[in-house]
Amino acid sequence: MKQQMKWSWAEPYKIKMVELLKMTTPGQRKKAMQEAGFNTFLLKSEDVYIDLLTDSGTSAMSDRQWAGMMMGDEAYAGSRNFYHLEQVVRDVYGYKYMIPTHQGRGAENILSKILIKKGDIIPGNMYFTTTRLHQELAGGRFEDIIIDEAHDPENEFPFKGNVNIEKLTKLIAKHGAEKIPYISIATSVNMAGGQPISMQNLKELRKLTTKHGIRIIHDMTRVAENAFFIQQREKGYDKKSVAEIVKEICSCTDGATMSAKKDALVNIGGFLAINDWDVFEEARNMVVVYEGLHTYGGLAGRDMEAMAIGIGESVDDNHIKARIGQVIYLGEKMIDFGIPIVKPIGGHGIFVDAKKFLPHLSQDAFPAQTLAAEVYLDSGIRTMERGVVSAGRKANGENYYPKLELVRFTIPRRVYTQAHMDVIAESTLRVFERRNKIKGLEMVYEPKYLRFFQARFKKLQ
Ligand code: P61
């Protein structure tokens, strides 16, 4: 399926300031990678040429957002920027109550502690690392209810973020609705490759959960990108704006956790949003323990102002069209080179299928971790493992072996040019051409929580 848009897109902005990058030699990169234990998270950013580790907190803010930073009201309590943010969350997303947090996981922590009891089950459309960990730390167990197509990189179903309603119905019948505090629904499912959920699926889910009195909590980190795919692919939505679709998505859910470091175009920030007064009350009590007062939640006034402005910019049709247009440009180029990637191309990056790229490596030799290291060695481009290392271990100590063993080439918003995209695809091609000679890795240090951040590896001989 060719996804390229019929007409060229271009960025709806021009560049006012640039940040110079350090170019490295193969020898410097070899040394840096060895010092980082073959883990791209442990590289110094200075040693990176094009940084595709994440789109989290790495976007370029607009001149308006920077101007907003100067309007920070740094009062301990009742900052005017908080009230602005609260109003924007109501206007753009439609949620009634909002509590700022330092980033997404701060909101996940508070929400999980409030809603989850020991022994609860939290069904969701694929796990996310921090979200699942907070659910587990609160005593719950995550159950994957995403459709099977999501686990197959080749399957081109347009809404691979959808919930398998039958699976969920069975789960409710098995455990009883009282054991399920909420359904955890992400828009633009990160670990599946930035795959969207359809409005139709969300509406069916709403119907089922209403019948059983179960909440839907929305991980809205990339909701605008999901809305763009609904506009492009779902019947009846081609005339609606991304802003209208975003609001409609949120209206199908009861509350949300947000990492504003993605869609909302800020370098730091997040929030918890909820329509239910009782949960809000409890969260407002709890935020002072973990984050800060309920009118700043670990953020400076200026951060909240930049976030309020960024949210407005994030739902602009022209912005999203160019943002996803750039991701699709890179993906199409890789497909033309014969590089195996997750299809359809998702919203925030290209996910290279490391199992297909390095078929001679077993999952115990960490193909995605290996591939991320090799791309860095080739060109100084930094990507992220999203496979067996990221999946971690079950409560009984066994490794999770996810079907998807991927390397994420994540595109920061408004940062890189089309020429950068060409260089990225060409570097990946060079590694692809010498793939048969690539050896795997062995893990030599494994931290207890979220091991992918700090694990260390050495090359297998
Ligand atoms: C990322 F390797 N994402 O994609 P916080 N929900 C969702 C996210 O994408 C997300 C959070 C919640 C990151 C940063 C990151 O395993 C990792 O603001 C859908 O980062 O706390 C974050 O939001 C958490 C990278 C997080 C990871 C965890 O790059």
Side-chain angles (χ1 to χ4, degrees):
M1 182 170 74
K2 271 272 180 199
Q3 278 178 250
Q4 214 144 39
M5 296 170 198
K6 186 170 168 206
W7 303 108
S8 291
W9 53 272
E11 293 80 359
Y13 53 84
K14 56 186 176 176
I15 296 165
K16 200 181 282 203
M17 190 190 279
V18 297
E19 178 180 340
L20 300 184
L21 299 172
K22 184 172 121 184
M23 308 299 281
T24 49
T25 62
Q28 285 169 327
R29 293 196 290 275
K30 189 170 172 196
K31 185 165 173 279
M33 194 32 95
Q34 258 155 1
E35 281 173 9
F38 294 88
N39 184 348
T40 53
F41 277 106
L42 299 178
L43 285 167
K44 289 185 185 142
S45 141
E46 244 189 7
D47 294 331
V48 173
Y49 170 38
I50 302 176
D51 203 346
L52 308 182
L53 184 71
T54 177
D55 62 333
S56 180
T58 53
S59 297
M61 292 209 294
S62 66
D63 51 356
R64 287 167 206 213
Q65 286 178 288
W66 280 107
M69 297 284 280
M70 295 304 292
M71 310 268 283
D73 170 6
E74 307 305 342
Y76 188 86
S79 158
R80 102 175 139 251
N81 314 115
F82 165 78
Y83 295 107
H84 182 198
L85 177 62
E86 184 180 55
Q87 196 54 49
V88 167
V89 169
R90 278 194 190 131
D91 292 348
V92 175
Y93 302 129
Y95 294 118
K96 276 196 203 152
Y97 310 113
M98 185 276 304
I99 287 173
T101 55
H102 77 284
Q103 56 185 78
R105 69 197 73 180
E108 290 169 353
N109 174 36
I110 292 171
L111 186 94
S112 303
K113 282 198 162 76
I114 294 172
L115 294 182
I116 299 171
K117 298 185 304 303
K118 199 172 169 12
D120 278 352
I121 309 287
I122 303 95
N125 58 345
M126 201 172 271
Y127 87 98
F128 186 70
T129 53
T130 57
T131 321
R132 184 180 67 191
L133 181 60
H134 281 298
Q135 291 162 354
E136 289 172 351
L137 290 172
R141 182 161 59 82
F142 177 82
E143 280 273 355
D144 193 5
I145 51 161
I146 203 163
I147 54 171
D148 291 342
E149 288 87 336
H151 295 281
D152 174 5
E154 290 286 324
N155 192 305
E156 300 205 23
F157 186 67
F159 290 103
K160 282 163 87 174
N162 279 0
V163 164
N164 181 331
I165 300 283
E166 205 184 308
K167 239 190 231 175
L168 176 60
T169 309
K170 283 192 185 140
L171 211 61
I172 299 173
K174 183 171 167 202
H175 298 283
E178 60 293 345
K179 277 261 171 240
I180 302 178
Y182 62 92
I183 315 289
S184 180
I185 291 301
T187 33
S188 286
V189 180
N190 194 349
M191 302 299 280
Q195 302 294 329
I197 182 168
S198 73
M199 195 70 83
Q200 189 194 339
N201 188 250
L202 252 180
K203 288 192 169 154
E204 283 170 32
L205 185 65
R206 178 72 289 179
K207 215 164 135 195
L208 180 71
T209 50
T210 304
K211 190 170 116 195
H212 291 281
I214 302 174
R215 287 191 182 89
I216 300 177
I217 297 296
H218 175 198
D219 181 338
M220 63 180 300
T221 297
R222 297 181 182 84
V223 63
E225 291 170 6
N226 195 118
F228 177 75
F229 285 125
I230 290 178
Q231 184 192 58
Q232 299 295 307
R233 299 176 185 170
E234 194 162 351
K235 216 169 138 230
Y237 285 90
D238 59 332
K239 300 272 182 312
K240 293 208 172 169
S241 67
V242 164
E244 285 169 319
I245 300 170
V246 162
K247 212 157 181 187
E248 191 174 334
I249 293 173
C250 296
S251 75
C252 297
T253 70
D254 301 290
T257 54
M258 171 65 150
S259 170
K261 300 170 73 173
K262 285 79 167 173
D263 249 14
L265 298 161
V266 285
N267 304 122
I268 193 71
F271 59 79
L272 169 62
I274 196 92
N275 291 333
D276 186 325
W277 172 263
D278 294 343
V279 179
F280 170 63
E281 251 298 37
E282 182 86 23
R284 202 169 47 166
N285 273 307
M286 209 172 257
V287 74
V288 299
V289 181
Y290 295 103
E291 302 281 315
L293 196 70
H294 63 285
T295 58
Y296 76 85
L299 296 170
R302 55 180 171 266
D303 299 327
M304 292 189 282
E305 191 58 29
M307 201 195 307
I309 298 168
I311 289 171
E313 293 177 4
S314 78
V315 295
D316 174 72
D317 281 74
N318 293 315
H319 159 70
I320 287 284
K321 187 175 166 200
R323 189 284 186 276
I324 296 187
Q326 188 178 47
V327 175
I328 291 176
Y329 175 84
L330 173 61
E332 293 290 0
K333 196 141 195 160
M334 289 212 194
I335 291 171
D336 288 346
F337 285 160
I339 295 163
I341 67 167
V342 173
K343 293 182 212 152
I345 295 163
H348 63 303
I350 301 306
F351 290 66
V352 174
D353 184 346
K355 275 189 190 167
K356 287 225 174 64
F357 199 111
L358 300 171
H360 55 289
L361 298 189
S362 79
Q363 227 170 347
D364 286 318
F366 309 113
Q369 190 77 29
T370 304
L371 179 52
E374 292 293 335
V375 171
Y376 174 78
L377 289 170
D378 180 75
S379 55
I381 293 168
R382 166 155 73 171
T383 58
M384 185 195 288
E385 193 267 4
R386 294 281 84 168
V388 67
V389 184
S390 294
R393 291 182 189 272
K394 300 178 195 168
N396 67 8
E398 279 170 29
N399 272 320
Y400 284 106
Y401 284 99
K403 284 203 186 122
L404 297 177
E405 178 72 26
L406 309 174
V407 177
R408 188 179 73 170
F409 290 60
T410 341
I411 313 298
R413 295 163 190 78
R414 311 193 288 206
V415 171
Y416 293 113
T417 66
Q418 193 151 318
H420 285 118
M421 299 302 121
D422 292 338
V423 167
I424 295 160
E426 286 164 18
S427 170
T428 315
L429 177 62
R430 280 194 296 274
V431 178
F432 193 54
E433 283 171 345
R434 61 175 174 81
R435 63 191 179 280
N436 295 335
K437 297 205 188 82
I438 294 173
K439 297 203 173 106
L441 295 169
E442 177 191 349
M443 201 188 297
V444 290
Y445 167 67
E446 180 176 354
K448 187 166 165 206
Y449 296 117
L450 302 174
R451 65 183 181 182
F452 50 91
F453 283 133
Q454 289 148 341
R456 300 186 71 84
F457 301 82
K458 76 169 202 239
K459 263 202 170 166
L460 286 170
Q461 287 317 311

